[in-house]
């Protein structure tokens, strides 16, 4: 049913400032900009997925819904959009799984710079059925243009997106059995809790459960993103020179990896950078 993670949505109150921040973080230009659905949209398309910045635009009902979401949850990660090759079949499966999908709609956008158009079909599952995480499902025939690299030591791809849960058994059932993602890891530790990895194309949906969380009816939350880099030392030097606050490089939990934390300029999204064990400089 799911072939990959098409994109993640990050809500922001200032699309211009957010676009500059992510252009600096990624060392890549936006791949697509458009306005529609009561919002301005700026997309950055990397090697395996897209980050979409969304800010309210106008005064219609759609724009007010975006503003209400910002008031309720603040800036940060807002939703996941999974890619599928057959939206009609996906809709039927979501309905059978009691995920209460909305009717499939067709959407089109025109890039403000190139004038090119893209179209897609999508549906959305009911948020209460997906344990509080907003999920969309999308089918498109055309690939988005990649964001152009502006300097060396750019971000290459997403490594994983993090979901925290108070009920790991139900989360495992949702992402594994119901959505059909392949569970690649299920590990528990008395200090840091339970950790589950679900493969989704060329990245991972990481589901975490911290010890001592007893309120199993609490909603799941999108918690952060880890991006891949080829040379973490060069990336760190580039970001420091650009005025971005980053941590020291440290050894990652996975053998052979090196990681660092980005402390600002991410629109409130907790952000980690990782150099995989086989990473090579640009």
């Amino acid at each position: 049913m799911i072939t990959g993670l098409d994109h993640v949505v990050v809500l922001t109150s200032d699309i211009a400032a957010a676009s500059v921040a992510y252009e600096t973080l990624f060392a890549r230009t936006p791949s697509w900009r458009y306005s529609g659905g009561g919002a301005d949209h700026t997309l950055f398309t990397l090697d395996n997925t897209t980050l979409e910045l969304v800010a309210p635009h106008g005064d219609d009902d759609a724009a007010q819904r975006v503003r209400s979401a910002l008031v309720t949850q603040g800036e940060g990660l807002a939703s996941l959009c999974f890619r599928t090759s057959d939206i009609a079949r996906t809709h039927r499966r979501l309905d059978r799984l009691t995920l209460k999908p909305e009717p499939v709609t067709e959407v089109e956008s025109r890039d403000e710079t190139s004038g090119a158009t893209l179209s897609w079909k999508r549906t959305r599952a009911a948020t209460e059925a997906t344990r509080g995480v907003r999920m969309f499902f999308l089918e498109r025939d055309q690939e988005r243009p990649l964001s152009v690299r502006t300097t060396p030591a750019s971000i290459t791809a997403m490594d994983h997106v993090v979901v925290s849960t108070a009920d790991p058994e139900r989360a495992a059932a949702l992402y594994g059995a119901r959505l059909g993602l392949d569970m690649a890891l299920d590990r528990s530790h008395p200090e840091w809790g339970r950790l589950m990895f679900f493969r989704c194309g060329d990245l991972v949906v990481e589901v975490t459960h911290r010890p001592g969380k007893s309120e199993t009816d609490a909603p799941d939350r999108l918690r952060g993103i880890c991006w891949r880099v080829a040379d973490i030392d060069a990336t760190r030097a580039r970001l420091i020179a650009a005025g971005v606050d980053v941590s020291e490089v440290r050894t990652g939990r996975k053998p052979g990896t090196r990681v660092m934390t980005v402390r600002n300029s991410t629109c409130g999204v907790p952000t980690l950078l990782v150099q995989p064990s086989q990473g090579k400089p640009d």
Side-chain angles (χ1 to χ4, degrees):
M1 180 174 71
I2 292 172
T3 59
L5 183 63
D6 186 83
H7 66 275
V8 296
V9 172
V10 173
L11 285 182
T12 178
S13 58
D14 187 335
I15 196 75
S19 300
V20 170
Y22 271 93
E23 189 165 354
T24 299
L25 175 64
F26 291 151
R28 291 182 178 234
T29 60
S31 60
W32 201 264
R33 298 179 192 264
Y34 73 99
S35 295
D40 291 321
H41 307 254
T42 298
L43 281 64
F44 290 87
T45 299
L46 308 184
D47 293 354
N48 63 354
T49 194
T50 294
L51 179 137
E52 179 178 0
L53 299 170
V54 175
H57 175 89
D59 296 312
D60 60 11
D61 290 344
Q64 294 305 326
R65 285 194 294 271
V66 178
R67 290 190 177 92
S68 295
L70 277 168
V71 170
T72 301
Q73 67 184 62
E75 289 194 326
L77 270 172
S79 59
L80 304 177
C81 183
F82 294 103
R83 187 167 181 179
T84 178
S85 58
D86 188 334
I87 193 69
R89 182 180 179 186
T90 297
H91 189 275
R92 290 193 297 271
R93 178 172 169 79
L94 293 172
D95 189 47
R96 290 198 301 271
L97 293 170
T98 65
L99 293 176
K100 304 175 184 178
E102 295 179 350
V104 174
T105 57
E106 297 189 20
V107 184
E108 182 177 277
S109 73
R110 181 181 299 275
D111 180 48
E112 294 177 358
T113 302
S114 68
T117 60
L118 288 173
S119 59
W120 59 93
K121 300 174 184 177
R122 75 177 183 191
T123 184
R124 174 187 171 187
T127 304
E128 66 272 15
T130 55
R131 299 196 45 78
V133 175
R134 288 165 51 92
M135 291 186 190
F136 293 81
F137 302 83
L138 175 151
E139 176 192 345
R140 55 184 172 85
D141 297 326
Q142 301 165 278
E143 297 298 325
R144 298 188 190 95
L146 285 174
S147 291
V148 176
R149 299 186 185 204
T150 56
T151 66
S154 62
I155 306 298
T156 59
M158 182 185 289
D159 190 79
H160 59 272
V161 59
V162 181
V163 179
S164 69
T165 183
D167 191 335
E169 294 302 331
R170 289 187 180 180
L174 172 62
Y175 291 93
R178 302 175 81 187
L179 295 182
L181 302 183
D182 175 34
M183 180 184 278
L185 177 74
D186 185 357
R187 183 175 297 169
S188 296
H189 190 279
E191 292 184 5
W192 43 258
R194 187 171 176 183
L195 185 67
M196 294 176 282
F197 287 177
F198 295 89
R199 297 189 192 279
C200 186
D202 184 31
L203 55 85
V204 164
V205 177
E206 176 181 312
V207 180
T208 64
H209 174 252
R210 299 298 183 189
K213 297 292 185 181
S214 58
E215 297 178 5
T216 57
D217 58 344
D220 294 353
R221 301 292 185 192
L222 292 170
R223 287 303 187 195
I225 299 176
C226 179
W227 302 101
R228 294 178 196 152
V229 300
D231 184 336
I232 200 164
D233 296 308
T235 303
R236 183 173 187 273
R238 173 180 67 77
L239 291 173
I240 289 174
V244 179
D245 184 12
V246 296
S247 72
E248 297 290 334
V249 176
R250 59 191 183 275
T251 300
R253 184 175 295 170
K254 183 178 179 181
T257 62
R258 303 172 70 215
V259 301
M260 71 177 179
T261 303
V262 182
R263 299 187 178 118
N264 65 354
S265 304
T266 61
C267 299
V269 180
T271 299
L272 192 72
L273 305 185
V274 60
Q275 178 181 304
S277 56
Q278 300 301 316
K280 298 178 180 179
D282 286 357

